[in-house]
Structures are given as structure tokens and as C-alpha cells.
Amino acid sequence: MLSTADGAIDGAETISPAELARRMSFYEIGPDELACLVEARATLGQVQQQCTQALHAHMLQFSNLSGMLAKENSLGVLAEAHRRYFADMTAGRLDQDYVDNRLRVGYAHQRIGLEPQWYLGAYRKYLSELMLALYRERSDDQAFLQTYDAVLKLICFDMSLAIDTYIHADRQHIVRLKDYAEQVIGSIPCGVMVIDLQGQVCTLNPAIEAMLDLPPGGPRQVGALVREPAIGRRIALGLERSYFHEEFVIANGNRHLRCLLSRAVLTGKEVLMLIAEDITVPLQARAALHDSEERFRVAFGQAAVGLAQIARDGRWLRVNRKLQQILGYDEAQLAHMRLQDSSLEEDRDADEQAMAMLASGACADVSRDKRCLHKDGHLVWTTVTMSPMRASDGELSFICVVEDISQRKAAELALLHQATHDALTGLANRALLQDRLDQAIAFARRAGHIAAVLFIDLDRFKNINDSLGHEAGDDVILEVGRRLQMCTRAGDTIARLGGDEFVLILPNLASGDQVAPLAQAVLDALMEPMVLGGHEVSPVASIGISLFPRDGADRQAMLKNADTALYRAKDRGRGCFQFYAQEMNARTLDRLALESRLRHALERREFVVHYQPQFDVASGAIVGTEALLRWQQADGSLLGPADFIPIAEETGLIVPIGEWVLRTACAQRAAWQAAGLPGVRMAVNLSVRQFQQAGLEAMIEAALRETGCRAEWLELEITESMLMDRPDEVAATLHRLNAMGVQLSIDDFGTGYSSLTYLKRFPIHALKIDRSFVLDVTTDEDAAAIARAIVVLAHSMKLTVVAEGVETQAQWDFLRAEACDQVQGFLMSRPVAADAIAALLAAGA
Ligand code: C2E
Ligand code: MG
Ligand code: MG
């Protein structure tokens, strides 16, 4: 190894003393030549500078060299080198130091990139320049030739050393490339083996040694080296054939190798090349993946919970059997559906939110209880847990675990029901009542509505328990619960607080006026008799009522005040209700009092019938009377029908009262007959309720028979509206009455919507023009026209026309001029007591 001026010369080798001697002999350099150069030292020293300048000028003409010399002070350094060279050349020694110096200089030139042809060219330039300079300086030709020959020999010797450095550098370069290639091949995980056509292994890397278990330093003959039969056989074939290319996989012990064996040409030589890859790990990974996929597939399919993979938009991508059972759809159907399709409308936003949260990475999983829509339409309670899953391509989906928790929910609900409901009746208990009342108050406050609390207590319930036993008592409580349910709306709450105490909550009421009728309905419903063990029991209850917001701002106040009202109701006498606030009581009480008095009016004989006469327009004689009901009050005053008939209609009391009027009027008519008074028609008003009552004809027949009134004396007044509802049945009823001989008239005609032609189908005898038309006939042309038309049309249908409410002479005159048949009105007579009519009849008015 050589060393440079500043250190080692990489890989450059000096020449041995034997080689030096050999070369000196070959270049014919001996002591004479060296002595000659020592002698020429002065001359050469003189020409050296000249030669150097000529060389520099020569080099600068060539761009590749001038570039190198352009570097700072390069020429100076070069000139100094030349000076030293001439000094060495003429020193008279050609020893190891001289040689090493030349090699070092040559190596330096080679390193700066001076190619050998240019280097040798520079020596040539020296020789030419020296030849000329020496020739000029010669003492004689012999001396010139001798000196120049010595210079020529030494410079050629130096050139041989320079070429040595280049050869050496190239060799080094090749060695490095070879090392590099060997390192690469040695370190790659692929096995490489190159075999020449004689079957000698030329290249073998460690990977293939390991793969084929080749013994280190084994034979180079491939047949002896490679023992693996599947490869050995193929190598033999590959060496035989002129073309060979095969890819194959072999198992060598635990290893799996994928091999490529092919004929190739390397550096002009045909070879057989084996490249092998150990695929044991990928194969094992694939097998492991397959096993895990299989395990997943079986576990997924067989899982006792519903499992699914769903896309980012909720589409079902993969579902297991259990999930299909839970939702009732098969796999093919679910493939066209989304998670949201099985959700209730109100849950869909939550579904989207959950998916968005998982997609954003805000949480690792989302779990919640929700109801799923089964294909059949019923709801299934489930716990749905979703986790995000990123595929290797980045695609996001969700793994969804759906657990059917309907049984647990049912148990929870049952428990909750137990905790919130009364065991005997199944009604709400105190806890639920409080909750519902809070809700009702909150709702009413928001909506500006009214909420009512009704505290209901059965009066003397203890008696039932004591006398009939607890079982009977329970039956009463159960029945009361049922009846309360019948009286209430869907959103109302009925609670039992224990014993015989019940509470009703009526939320969301538009006005407090609705409460009293309901309280009354509850009392009435409870009062209906019930039979227990052969005993008839009519539970009587008392009710205390508080209204939100008037009677209390919160639950406690509302319950306390309803309770207070209940005690007041009990004080007042049982079987009634009481509002917490007084003015509400007063209003409802008036009507209720009237109603309850009306119930007793018949038995207390408080009704009287007055009669209003009807006159024939042409003769002025009384031809009929209309029976009109009045209610005598305790103070002797008479209440008109307008004040109580509507309540009687509502409560159904009109049916017995109407029958009483009919019997009274018929009896009266028979009495006048018996008294020998002139015979007149007796008109009696029939109400809708009466008219619809089954057995109407039988009732009338009985009344006529029992009072001795003849059918043709009786006229029944019905209104237009009664004809409208189910006209066929009405016509049949009227025909039967007509067949009995009873007269029929339409009261208040003109106020309804029936046309005269419509009336043709009914057996009607008379029309009574409503008082409102008669009132205006003399002042309003329209009223006059209507009255006139009614008269003309009625006559064309052979009906008698009666005008009601005639109060003035002008009205009378108009009606007479229009040929109205009969009139009834204050102008002639108000409705009066039967005696007064008798007097009129007797007077022959
Ligand atoms: P209605 O059947 O049309 O009876 C005629 C009403 O007109 C009577 O009123 C009578 O007093 C009144 N009236 C008669 N002439 C005049 C008049 O010149 N001027 C004024 N201002 N009024 C006159 P009333 O007795 O108050 O009866 C009102 C209504 O009550 C009756 O109208 C009838 O619909 C009904 N009503 C009366 N009694 C009974 C009954 O026993 N049963 C049924 N169902 N309804 C009855
Ligand atoms: Mg009438
Ligand atoms: Mg009338």
C-alpha cells in the first residue's frame, strides 16, 4: 500500500526492487545514463523553466486542461512540481524513493481526472521541448545525443510508472464494483444462484444457502451441491435445454419457496439463474388470515346477538342470522334497507348523530337503548352499540351489535308498573299521580291552559266493607275504577291513593267550565247501582276540585286545596262536588240546582199547562188551542219553557214531562167536551227526544184512551228539523199517527230549511208561520213576500196556514188580505189557564 504526500495512497502498490531492476534493464538505464543526467543538471536546470512555460502555453490551448489549470495558483504549484521533477531527474539516483515519488505524482494526476492520454501527451511535450533546448545548448552532437537519450529513457520509465497508477486505479475500481455487487446480492432476502453450463455454481448468496440448507464451502458442482430433488431435477433440465423458464413453489421442510429458474446471458456467457423467495411468512399470514376470517364468519353467523356491518350512510352491508330474526327481514331484503328504516321517526336524528360522532372520531363507540321496527310493524326494544371500522383502503363503516332486550324491558316495565300503579285496580298510585300532576302543571303553564284535580272519596265505604266483607269492598273499588275510566278522556290520569280515595287529573283544559259537567257525570256514573253478592249497592261519592293556575301554583297546593274542597263537599251533604274557589261553585250550582229541582218538579206537581186560543180569520171563532207548559216556582211565579225546556231536553226529562203535558191537555180537552163547550182542536208540542222515543204511538194511544180524548181532537206540533233526520222512519211514524186520526202540523215554519215540496211526502195538515215573519210582515217587504208565498204554496198543497205571534191589527189585516186561515197571538189572547179558555169558549168567542 502506498501513501500519498499527505497520507496513504489508496490501494496503489509500489514496485518491487526486482521489478525496478528489471524495468531499468529493459529501459536500458544504467549508471552511465544516470551520470550523464547528473552532468546535464546545469543545462537542464537552465532549460527547465522554458520547457515548463512552453508546456503551460500548450496545455492552456485545450479546454479540458485549461479548466483544470484555471484553479487558483494551479500553475504555480505545477511549476514548482516541474522544478522538483527536474531536480530528481538529475539527482543521479533511480531508487525506491524516486519510484514512489513518481507513483504518487501519477496517482495525484489520475485523481484530479487527468486522463492517461493527456498525461502521456504532457511527457511528449517535455521531450520535444527538451530536445530543442538541449540541441541549442549542445557542446557537440555526441554529447547532445547521449544526454537526450538518457532523458528519453528516464521519461519513458516515468511514463511506465504513470500508466501503472492508472491500471492500478482501474483495477481498484473493478474490485470495488465487484464488492458492491457481492454485497448487494449477499444482503438481498432473495436467494440467487448462477450456474454455468458446465454445472459449476458461479454465484451463490447466503439467502439461497439458508433456503436450500447448502453446506458452507460445499462442492461447486451444482448436482452435488443442491440436494433438493424438485430443484435439482429442474436444474438438470435447465442445463440441457437451450431455453428454460419456469416459476414454481416448493416446500423444503417448514419453508415454502417460490422459485424462478431461467436461462440467461451474463457477460456474454450463457448461464442458468435460480432466484428463490421465501414465502413461508406470507403463506402463514394468509393462512392465519383465512383462519381468523373463518372464525369471524362462524362467530358472526352464530352469535346470539344481532351483528351487522353498516355503511357510513346506514346501509346494511352484512347482517347475521340473529339480526334478521330481530328485525324480521331476510338478508336480501336488508341489503336494500338502511339502519334508519328500522328506526322510529323520532329516533332517526339520534341515529345520524351517533354515526357522525363515530365518523369524526369523537368517541370509540356509541351505545343506546332504542326501539326497532319489526317487519310485522311491532316494536322491539334493543340495545344498539356501534363502533367505527376503517378498511385498509380508508373506507369507513360501522360494526353494529344489536341486542334484543324486549324481555328485560318488559320486566323493567312490569317493575315500573308495580312501582307506579295500585295493585288492586291497576290505576296510578300516589308516586305516579305526583309525577303526572307535575307534568300537567308544567304543560298547562306553557300552553296557558287549565288543569284540574278532582279528589274523589266514596261516602260510607266503610259500611260496605264492614257489612259485606273486604272482598265485596274490593269489588266496589274495582268497579269504581272502571266507571271512572269510562268517564274520562285518554290523557286524563286516574289514581287510587288507597282505601276509597281516588284522584283524577284533567290536564290541558281550555276552560274550567268543562270540569263541573264531568264531576257530575262521575257522581252519576258512580251512583248507578251495582250488585254484590245479591245486594244492590249504590256508591255515593263526594268530589273536591282544584283548578290550576287559579287554586294553586304547584302540586302540593293543588292536592291540598282539592282535599279541602272535598271536605267542604262532604259538609254540604254527600253526593256532590265542590270547587275550591267559591265563585265557580255559585255558577255551576245555579244550573245544577235548577236541574235537580226539575227532576223533582213532576212529582212535586209544579207544572201547569196554559192554553193559547187560535182563531179562524174569516169567522173570528176559536177553532183550536195550543197547550204551552209553565213551571210554577216556590214563590208562585211561572217559569217559561225557554228557561227549562233545553235542560229537560238535555237530561231526557222532557220525555216524562212531555207525556204529562199530553195527558193533561187531552184530559182538559175531554173535560171541555164533557162540559158541553164547543169542540176545538187541542195542539200539543212534541220534542225531538219524545219523537225519537220508542213506543211513541202506544203512549199517545194510551193517553187518548185513558183521558177520553178523541184522536181527531188532538193536533201534534212538530218542527222541520225533526223531519230531516232519517226521513223514511219519520214518514212511517207520521203515517201511523195520521192513520190513528191525529192531526199533524209543522211549527215555526220558515226557520228550518225544508221546502214545501219536501213536505209533500209527509201527511201534514197545517203549517204554522213562525212568529219572526209575522212580526215583520207590515214593515219588511221580504218577510211579507215570504209569508205570502207560504200561504199560496200551502194552499196549493191543501194545507191549513196558521200565523203565530199576531200582535197588531195591521198584521191581522195583512194576514186576512193574504187569505191566511187561522191566527194565534197576543192581539187576541195570551196563553191562559184552562178556566179562562173555558170562559172564552162558553162566551162563543
Ligand atoms: P211555540 O210552540 O211556537 O209556541 C208559541 C210561543 O209563542 C209561546 O211561547 C207563546 O206564548 C208565544 N206567543 C204566542 N203569541 C205571541 C205573540 O203575539 N207575541 C209573542 N211575543 N209571543 C207569542 P211559550 O209559551 O214561551 O213557548 C215557547 C216555546 O216552548 C214553544 O214555542 C214551544 O216550542 C215550547 N213549548 C211550550 N210548551 C211545550 C211543551 O209542552 N212541550 C214542548 N216540547 N215544547 C213546549
Ligand atoms: Mg207550538
Ligand atoms: Mg211556534
Short mmCIF file of all heavy atoms in Angstrom, two decimals, residues 520-544:
data_model
loop_
_atom_site.label_atom_id
_atom_site.label_comp_id
_atom_site.label_asym_id
_atom_site.label_seq_id
_atom_site.Cartn_x
_atom_site.Cartn_y
_atom_site.Cartn_z
N GLN A 520 -120.06 15.98 37.64
CA GLN A 520 -121.45 15.48 37.79
C GLN A 520 -121.58 14.11 37.14
O GLN A 520 -122.21 13.20 37.69
CB GLN A 520 -122.44 16.48 37.18
CG GLN A 520 -123.90 16.13 37.43
CD GLN A 520 -124.24 16.06 38.92
OE1 GLN A 520 -123.96 16.99 39.68
NE2 GLN A 520 -124.82 14.94 39.37
N ALA A 521 -120.97 13.98 35.95
CA ALA A 521 -121.04 12.69 35.25
C ALA A 521 -120.40 11.60 36.09
O ALA A 521 -120.90 10.47 36.15
CB ALA A 521 -120.33 12.81 33.89
N VAL A 522 -119.30 11.94 36.78
CA VAL A 522 -118.63 10.96 37.63
C VAL A 522 -119.57 10.56 38.77
O VAL A 522 -119.77 9.36 39.05
CB VAL A 522 -117.30 11.52 38.18
CG1 VAL A 522 -116.76 10.64 39.30
CG2 VAL A 522 -116.27 11.64 37.05
N LEU A 523 -120.17 11.56 39.41
CA LEU A 523 -121.08 11.25 40.51
C LEU A 523 -122.23 10.37 40.03
O LEU A 523 -122.59 9.38 40.67
CB LEU A 523 -121.63 12.55 41.12
CG LEU A 523 -120.62 13.41 41.90
CD1 LEU A 523 -121.26 14.72 42.32
CD2 LEU A 523 -120.10 12.65 43.11
N ASP A 524 -122.78 10.73 38.86
CA ASP A 524 -123.92 9.96 38.31
C ASP A 524 -123.49 8.52 38.00
O ASP A 524 -124.20 7.57 38.32
CB ASP A 524 -124.46 10.60 37.03
CG ASP A 524 -125.12 11.94 37.33
OD1 ASP A 524 -125.35 12.24 38.53
OD2 ASP A 524 -125.39 12.69 36.37
N ALA A 525 -122.31 8.41 37.38
CA ALA A 525 -121.84 7.07 36.99
C ALA A 525 -121.63 6.21 38.23
O ALA A 525 -121.97 5.02 38.24
CB ALA A 525 -120.54 7.19 36.19
N LEU A 526 -121.06 6.83 39.28
CA LEU A 526 -120.78 6.04 40.48
C LEU A 526 -122.06 5.63 41.18
O LEU A 526 -122.13 4.61 41.84
CB LEU A 526 -119.87 6.83 41.43
CG LEU A 526 -118.45 7.10 40.91
CD1 LEU A 526 -117.61 7.78 41.97
CD2 LEU A 526 -117.77 5.82 40.45
N MET A 527 -123.05 6.48 41.03
CA MET A 527 -124.30 6.22 41.75
C MET A 527 -125.12 5.08 41.16
O MET A 527 -126.02 4.57 41.80
CB MET A 527 -125.14 7.50 41.77
CG MET A 527 -125.25 8.02 43.18
SD MET A 527 -126.36 9.39 43.38
CE MET A 527 -126.07 10.50 42.10
N GLU A 528 -124.83 4.76 39.88
CA GLU A 528 -125.56 3.63 39.26
C GLU A 528 -125.42 2.41 40.18
O GLU A 528 -124.31 2.08 40.61
CB GLU A 528 -124.92 3.28 37.91
CG GLU A 528 -125.17 4.28 36.80
CD GLU A 528 -126.62 4.24 36.33
OE1 GLU A 528 -127.15 3.12 36.19
OE2 GLU A 528 -127.20 5.33 36.14
N PRO A 529 -126.54 1.74 40.45
CA PRO A 529 -126.44 0.63 41.39
C PRO A 529 -125.55 -0.49 40.87
O PRO A 529 -125.47 -0.71 39.66
CB PRO A 529 -127.88 0.13 41.50
CG PRO A 529 -128.71 1.01 40.65
CD PRO A 529 -127.87 1.97 39.93
N MET A 530 -124.83 -1.19 41.79
CA MET A 530 -124.08 -2.38 41.40
C MET A 530 -124.49 -3.51 42.34
O MET A 530 -124.82 -3.26 43.50
CB MET A 530 -122.57 -2.14 41.41
CG MET A 530 -122.00 -1.55 42.66
SD MET A 530 -120.19 -1.36 42.57
CE MET A 530 -120.01 0.30 41.98
N VAL A 531 -124.50 -4.75 41.79
CA VAL A 531 -124.97 -5.86 42.60
C VAL A 531 -123.76 -6.65 43.11
O VAL A 531 -122.90 -7.05 42.34
CB VAL A 531 -125.88 -6.78 41.77
CG1 VAL A 531 -126.36 -7.96 42.62
CG2 VAL A 531 -127.08 -5.99 41.25
N LEU A 532 -123.69 -6.79 44.43
CA LEU A 532 -122.57 -7.51 45.05
C LEU A 532 -123.13 -8.59 45.94
O LEU A 532 -123.81 -8.28 46.92
CB LEU A 532 -121.75 -6.57 45.92
CG LEU A 532 -120.99 -5.44 45.20
CD1 LEU A 532 -120.38 -4.51 46.22
CD2 LEU A 532 -119.89 -6.05 44.34
N GLY A 533 -122.87 -9.84 45.58
CA GLY A 533 -123.33 -10.96 46.41
C GLY A 533 -124.81 -10.87 46.72
O GLY A 533 -125.22 -11.05 47.86
N GLY A 534 -125.57 -10.52 45.69
CA GLY A 534 -127.02 -10.47 45.87
C GLY A 534 -127.51 -9.16 46.48
O GLY A 534 -128.70 -8.90 46.54
N HIS A 535 -126.59 -8.29 46.87
CA HIS A 535 -127.00 -7.00 47.43
C HIS A 535 -126.78 -5.90 46.40
O HIS A 535 -125.79 -5.91 45.68
CB HIS A 535 -126.18 -6.64 48.67
CG HIS A 535 -126.43 -7.57 49.81
ND1 HIS A 535 -125.82 -8.81 49.91
CD2 HIS A 535 -127.23 -7.44 50.88
CE1 HIS A 535 -126.23 -9.41 50.99
NE2 HIS A 535 -127.10 -8.59 51.62
N GLU A 536 -127.74 -4.96 46.35
CA GLU A 536 -127.57 -3.84 45.44
C GLU A 536 -126.91 -2.70 46.21
O GLU A 536 -127.39 -2.33 47.28
CB GLU A 536 -128.91 -3.40 44.87
CG GLU A 536 -128.75 -2.63 43.60
CD GLU A 536 -130.08 -2.21 42.99
OE1 GLU A 536 -130.64 -1.22 43.50
OE2 GLU A 536 -130.53 -2.85 42.05
N VAL A 537 -125.82 -2.22 45.65
CA VAL A 537 -125.10 -1.12 46.32
C VAL A 537 -125.02 0.04 45.36
O VAL A 537 -124.72 -0.14 44.19
CB VAL A 537 -123.66 -1.57 46.68
CG1 VAL A 537 -122.90 -0.46 47.37
CG2 VAL A 537 -123.70 -2.81 47.54
N SER A 538 -125.35 1.24 45.83
CA SER A 538 -125.19 2.43 45.00
C SER A 538 -124.17 3.33 45.68
O SER A 538 -124.51 4.08 46.59
CB SER A 538 -126.50 3.19 44.84
OG SER A 538 -127.40 2.41 44.13
N PRO A 539 -122.92 3.25 45.27
CA PRO A 539 -121.90 4.05 45.95
C PRO A 539 -122.18 5.54 45.74
O PRO A 539 -122.55 5.94 44.63
CB PRO A 539 -120.60 3.66 45.26
CG PRO A 539 -120.91 2.52 44.40
CD PRO A 539 -122.37 2.53 44.13
N VAL A 540 -122.05 6.27 46.78
CA VAL A 540 -122.21 7.72 46.67
C VAL A 540 -120.83 8.30 46.94
O VAL A 540 -120.12 7.85 47.83
CB VAL A 540 -123.22 8.24 47.70
CG1 VAL A 540 -123.34 9.74 47.61
CG2 VAL A 540 -124.57 7.58 47.48
N ALA A 541 -120.48 9.29 46.11
CA ALA A 541 -119.14 9.86 46.27
C ALA A 541 -119.24 11.36 46.48
O ALA A 541 -120.27 11.97 46.19
CB ALA A 541 -118.31 9.57 45.04
N SER A 542 -118.20 11.93 47.01
CA SER A 542 -118.07 13.38 47.10
C SER A 542 -116.79 13.74 46.36
O SER A 542 -115.84 12.97 46.34
CB SER A 542 -117.95 13.84 48.54
OG SER A 542 -119.10 13.46 49.24
N ILE A 543 -116.83 14.92 45.74
CA ILE A 543 -115.65 15.32 44.94
C ILE A 543 -115.23 16.73 45.33
O ILE A 543 -116.06 17.64 45.45
CB ILE A 543 -115.97 15.29 43.43
CG1 ILE A 543 -116.44 13.88 43.03
CG2 ILE A 543 -114.76 15.71 42.60
CD1 ILE A 543 -116.81 13.75 41.56
N GLY A 544 -113.94 16.90 45.53
CA GLY A 544 -113.37 18.24 45.74
C GLY A 544 -112.49 18.57 44.56
O GLY A 544 -111.75 17.72 44.08
#
